[in-house]
Every structure is written in C-alpha cells, then in structure tokens.
Amino acid sequence: MVLLGCSVRPGNSSLLLSSNPNFSYKVHSNSFVVSSVEIKIWNCLSCVRLNASVRQQRFVIQSVRRDRSSHLGLHGIYFRNSGKFSARVRRSVKSLVSFRERFPVIVLQFVVGVMLFMAVAVPVSKSPSWALTEENLLFLEAWRTIDRAYVDKTFNGQSWFRYRENALRNEPMNNREETYVAIRKMLGTLDDPFTRFLEPEKFKSLRSGTKGALTGVGLSIGYPTKNDSSPPGLVVISSAPGGPANRAGVLSGDIIMAIDSTSTETMDIYDAAERLQGTDGSAVELKISSGPTVRHLSLRREKVSLNPVKSRICETSGAGKDASRIGYIKLSSFNENASGAVREAIDDMRRNNVSAFVLDLRDNSGGLFPEGIKIAEIWLDKGVIVYICDSRGVRDIYDTDGSNAIAASEPLVVLVNKGTASASEILAGALKDNKRAVLLGEPTFGKGKIQSVFELSDGSGMAVTVARYETPAHTDINKVGIIPDYPLPASFPKDEDYLCGCLQDPISSCFLDRVGLFLR
C-alpha cells in the first residue's frame, strides 16, 4: 500500500492511499485495518518514506498540519497500538524532522526527482517493445553475419546498429519472401557487388560448383570493371576447355549481354549462374559481344567436368644432354580437388624425370581460397603467401615453412592472362614476389577481395566479402591485377596439345627455348 502525500493540502487532513497503481482511496482521519502490506508514507516535498510490515494493525492518522518552517510538513503520526512498531515509527519521524532542518527542500526535490526518473525509465528501457518473430530472427542472423565478418567496419559509412533497429521496425517481414527482400535490401546498402544473398537453391548451386562437376555451358563470369568501355553486361572470365561455350568460341573478356532474352545489365552473377545452369541437354540462348561483333548463340547444357588439372610432359629442343623434359600442368579451377590433383601430377611427372615445370593459370577464375594456399605451399620452401587485410590494415598472414613443399627447387614458369583471377592471383603473386617463378603473359583480372560463404539456418546463404588481400610485396591488386615479368608471344596456344610444339620447333612463331622460358 502506498501513501501518496501529493493530495495533502493545508487545513485538510485527507490523504490519498493506493495499494495498486491502478486504484486509489481517500481516507479522512478514519481507522482502517491493514493486513500484511507495505506502508509507504510519502511527503510530496520532503519525500521521506517510512516502511513497515504490518499484520492486522489498526491506526489512525491523527494530524497532518502545515509546518511553519517549510511549505508543508509531516508533523506527527500517532498509532493507537503501542510497542516496537510505534516506537520505530516515532524514531523515523524524528529523523525526518532533523533531516529536513539540515537540507533545503528544493535540493531534496531535485534528488528525489532524479531517483524517480531512474526508477521508471530503466525498467521501461529494458523492456522489449515487440516480440521477435521467426522471420525477424532470420533477418537478425543475416545482420549478425555481416556485423562479424564484413571487411569494411564502417559498413559503407552507415550505423550498422541503427540500420538493424530501423529495419526491424519498418521493413515488412510477415513471410519468408518478405524477409529475403529485407536481407537483400540490407546487403544493397553496402554497395558491394560480391556480397550477395543466396536463396536455398542458389546457395546449393554455388556449393555444387566447388564439388567437382555441374551442368551448364562451362562459363566463369564476373562483373566488368567500372572503367571498362565495353557494353553493359557480365564479363566472361574464362570458359572451361571443351565445354559448350568454349567450343562455340566464347573467349575471356567477351560480354554476356543477355541470357534467354533477359538483359544482364543489372543482373547479379548468381542470378546469371543459375540461368546458365539447367538440366542436361536443355538449351540456353546467349547474346555475346566480342569486341565490335555481337553474336547470338544457342548452347546445349551438358555436364561439365571440373577436374581441375590436366598435365603432360614436353620434350624441349636439343639432342643428348641438351634435351630435357618439362612438366606442363594446366590448373583450371580451385575446387576441393585442386591441391591433391596438383600433387598427384607432380609426383607422376617426377617419376618421368622432368627437370622443370610450367604452371598454366590462364583463364582460371579462382575458387576456394584454402586450395590456393595449399598449392602455394607445394612450390615454396618458405615465405609469406598472402596478407589478409581489412579497413584497419593487415589482420592475418598466411605463410609457409616448407613442410608441405614437394617441388621447391625445380625451375618454374607461371602463365597468366586477363582470365586469371581471385585465388589464381593469390598463387601467382606469391610465386612471383618470393622469386620462385617467372610470370609470362598479360596482366591478370584484378580481383583483390576475398569472399566467404555463410549458410543461414533455413538453408539460404550469403557470399560475404570478408577481406582484401595483398601480395607478399604488399601490392593491392584489386582492379589492377598482377603484372607479369614478360609477355608471351601472341601466337602462344592455350591448348596443351599444341603447347609442346612451341617448346620443340625453333621455326614456330610461338617458339620458346628453355633459356627463354625459364629466364630469371
């Protein structure tokens, strides 16, 4: 029961009583019975509280009168029953009078006002204003993933916490599709084309691309650089050797302008990848720009093997001791089989007495980051492989002590072109900066950011830019690429069946002798 003295007025002995904030009672100097309640007697001006636990205590408030030394005071309260309870109350009242004589009323009013504000405001602030639904929780799961993993901790110059609160209040999330829209909208504020939301089927499709095979036309695609003067669309990074697109003459640097009559100008790469894939034998129509030429192609989808490695042994020109064997390794992607396949190829060629290696990374658009690190470890006896950086600088270093190296001493040449991207650039940069290999070809694609894939609880997922990388020489290659040591002859073939001829025939237009190939 709470006694609120705010109703007391000079010459009026009535008080306002309440045991519940929703009810109040007026008492006019009458006796009443209280049963096991807490009595809180408040004076509005001095706000001193007297508490007592009472059981069947009968009392009468005898006198409430104006105290001449202040605005309104509690002069005395006399209880009919005697004993410890009454004595305790009398002592409390005497302390009240002494306390009020020492401190000005206005100070007490201020202090008590602050205390009352805190007593009311803190519980209110801690109380949730709404109950979170299952859709809200999925949105928060996506938000939390970006909060923890995204490379740019300024989140493109916005308050990430404020965005969360505003989205939960304002974005409709009444069903799963609306929640997906809210997540896409949230990721769109980052202005990062490589950070994307993937619905369950798209997420499954992305993961299948790292497993070893997929059904499509054999294209790796990406976003054109902003300074590219090519027509709008998606750029072909590479076409899988022997795949439908490769057989139709689609080359690195070509622009996909439309897929099945749908423009790719504003299409993201995951949507495009889903459209390019389909059932074995089904057709897909592509509008391709190759320089000034625009072609319309009808391609049949087929199962494209993603065996990442092809290898062969080439004999160089010369006779007797001047002749030597070179092991050629074509690495087309960094799927989960890549590092194991490279090791197997090296071991096989070593048994055939090769004395040098050519690692061909042309048109390799990348793949799994860890596989790129493992393959670098194969060739390096020691050194930094890559620096992982965020907005605050270097946050991690991948290096090797040589414990996983199996080919750290033989001469090595790496072939690159504008289709060499992502994990391929990490590998090429590590081998070049550690002076382990000579790079031949043309500047690489220039994708200097690293994405990780995160699965959400409903089977959907997100590809998130988690870092940018720098080569061991601290070169940021994003949108610039890695510059090779020397160019390749314009006629140097991509097909491994013809490459050996360039090492054997001195009169060939693409001829490179051993000295020219392994020049350090």
Side-chain angles (χ1 to χ4, degrees):
M1 181 173 290
V2 181
L3 177 62
L4 303 173
C6 291
S7 65
V8 179
R9 292 177 175 81
N12 187 346
S13 61
S14 66
L15 304 173
L16 186 65
L17 292 155
S18 173
S19 59
N20 185 311
N22 298 320
F23 301 95
S24 60
Y25 310 90
K26 267 194 175 183
V27 180
H28 300 273
S29 298
N30 293 323
S31 299
F32 59 98
V33 176
V34 185
S35 178
S36 294
V37 297
E38 182 186 28
I39 301 176
K40 300 178 181 179
I41 306 177
W42 292 79
N43 179 329
C44 275
L45 298 180
S46 62
C47 291
V48 177
R49 186 176 67 185
L50 305 177
N51 297 320
S53 179
V54 187
R55 188 169 203 59
Q56 297 295 328
Q57 300 289 349
R58 182 178 297 275
F59 64 87
V60 177
I61 299 179
Q62 299 283 6
S63 170
V64 177
R65 68 175 181 77
R66 187 179 184 85
D67 189 335
R68 294 176 183 175
S69 63
S70 62
H71 295 82
L72 181 63
L74 181 62
H75 181 72
I77 301 180
Y78 302 94
F79 292 82
R80 287 184 175 175
N81 56 320
S82 61
K84 294 181 180 180
F85 176 78
S86 300
R88 186 163 59 250
V89 172
R90 284 193 294 273
R91 285 196 299 271
S92 298
V93 172
K94 288 180 180 179
S95 298
L96 163 63
V97 174
S98 175
F99 183 83
R100 290 196 47 201
E101 288 175 352
R102 295 181 183 181
F103 293 94
V105 173
I106 190 157
V107 174
L108 294 175
Q109 286 180 301
F110 174 78
V111 172
V112 173
V114 172
M115 292 174 65
L116 286 174
F117 174 80
M118 293 177 64
V120 174
V122 171
V124 170
S125 66
K126 291 183 179 180
S127 301
S129 57
W130 66 87
L132 295 175
T133 66
E134 182 179 350
E135 302 303 322
N136 293 148
L137 292 175
L138 180 62
F139 175 86
L140 286 174
E141 186 181 353
W143 178 92
R144 195 175 300 112
T145 299
I146 298 297
D147 181 55
R148 294 173 178 173
Y150 191 60
V151 59
D152 178 12
K153 294 308 178 184
T154 71
F155 303 98
N156 198 28
Q158 63 181 320
S159 170
W160 198 236
F161 286 92
R162 184 174 299 170
Y163 186 91
R164 177 192 65 183
E165 299 305 315
N166 291 339
L168 289 173
R169 286 190 176 94
N170 303 322
E171 295 295 332
M173 300 182 205
N174 300 311
N175 53 55
R176 190 52 46 92
E177 186 54 42
E178 287 185 347
T179 304
Y180 287 168
V181 170
I183 294 174
R184 289 192 193 94
K185 183 176 179 180
M186 173 181 70
L187 299 184
T189 66
L190 300 174
D191 193 26
D192 177 0
F194 296 105
T195 296
R196 282 290 182 267
F197 174 74
L198 305 167
E199 294 180 357
E201 284 303 314
K202 293 182 180 180
F203 182 70
K204 183 179 178 181
S205 174
L206 177 67
R207 299 183 77 173
S208 70
T210 67
K211 297 296 183 182
L214 53 82
T215 302
V217 295
L219 286 177
S220 295
I221 57 177
Y223 298 103
T225 57
K226 292 184 178 180
N227 58 359
D228 197 335
S229 59
S230 302
L234 297 173
V235 65
V236 174
I237 298 176
S238 64
S239 59
N246 182 262
R247 294 197 303 267
V250 179
L251 302 174
S252 300
D254 287 353
I255 301 296
I256 303 175
M257 301 176 67
I259 304 174
D260 286 332
S261 301
T262 301
S263 172
T264 60
E265 183 173 358
T266 59
M267 188 181 296
D268 69 56
I269 57 175
Y270 304 110
D271 186 14
E274 184 181 31
R275 292 171 183 268
L276 291 171
Q277 296 173 30
T279 57
D280 193 2
S282 60
V284 59
E285 304 290 330
L286 299 182
K287 182 180 179 181
I288 301 288
S289 170
S290 301
T293 305
V294 176
R295 296 185 294 160
H296 295 267
L297 302 176
S298 179
L299 304 178
R300 291 280 174 183
R301 298 181 179 96
E302 60 186 54
K303 192 163 187 176
V304 179
S305 174
L306 296 180
N307 181 8
V309 170
K310 291 183 179 180
S311 63
R312 65 182 303 152
I313 297 175
C314 298
E315 298 278 354
T316 62
S317 61
K321 294 182 179 180
D322 293 330
S324 62
R325 290 185 168 188
I326 295 175
Y328 171 80
I329 300 174
K330 171 66 176 177
L331 181 60
S332 58
S333 67
F334 289 80
N335 64 21
E336 62 184 17
N337 306 319
S339 60
V342 170
R343 284 181 176 274
E344 184 178 342
I346 292 173
D347 289 338
D348 182 63
M349 289 186 286
R350 273 236 178 99
R351 287 192 290 268
N352 287 279
N353 301 315
V354 299
S355 58
F357 290 98
V358 174
L359 177 62
D360 193 348
L361 298 179
R362 290 176 296 174
D363 297 328
N364 184 328
S365 60
L368 299 177
F369 173 81
E371 290 297 303
I373 300 299
K374 290 178 182 177
I375 294 173
E377 291 175 343
I378 290 173
W379 302 101
L380 293 171
D381 59 356
K382 63 178 180 179
V384 172
I385 298 172
V386 67
Y387 293 105
I388 306 301
C389 309
D390 58 20
S391 56
R392 292 183 290 270
V394 175
R395 79 178 192 202
D396 203 357
I397 302 173
Y398 285 82
D399 58 7
T400 181
D401 59 4
S403 58
N404 293 319
I406 63 171
S409 59
E410 293 91 342
L412 175 64
V413 162
V414 178
L415 308 182
V416 296
N417 66 357
K418 59 185 176 183
T420 303
S422 193
S424 291
E425 293 175 292
I426 291 176
L427 176 57
L431 297 177
K432 179 186 178 184
D433 287 356
N434 282 287
K435 303 190 183 306
R436 174 64 187 89
V438 177
L439 266 61
L440 301 180
E442 58 187 359
T444 61
F445 183 80
K447 183 177 181 291
K449 293 184 178 180
I450 300 172
Q451 283 75 41
S452 290
V453 177
F454 298 88
E455 183 174 10
L456 301 180
S457 57
D458 72 332
S460 61
M462 295 189 299
V464 179
T465 300
V466 296
R468 62 179 178 85
Y469 69 82
E470 294 178 356
T471 69
H474 287 288
T475 302
D476 183 354
I477 59 94
N478 194 48
K479 299 181 182 179
V480 177
I482 293 175
I483 309 302
D485 297 304
Y486 304 99
L488 273 174
S491 58
F492 202 84
K494 290 184 179 180
D495 192 330
E496 64 273 11
D497 292 333
Y498 298 100
L499 183 139
C500 287
C502 296
L503 304 177
Q504 296 169 339
D505 186 0
I507 65 173
S508 171
S509 60
C510 64
F511 176 70
L512 281 176
D513 62 15
R514 181 183 172 89
V515 175
L517 188 63
F518 294 102
L519 180 66
R520 290 180 180 273

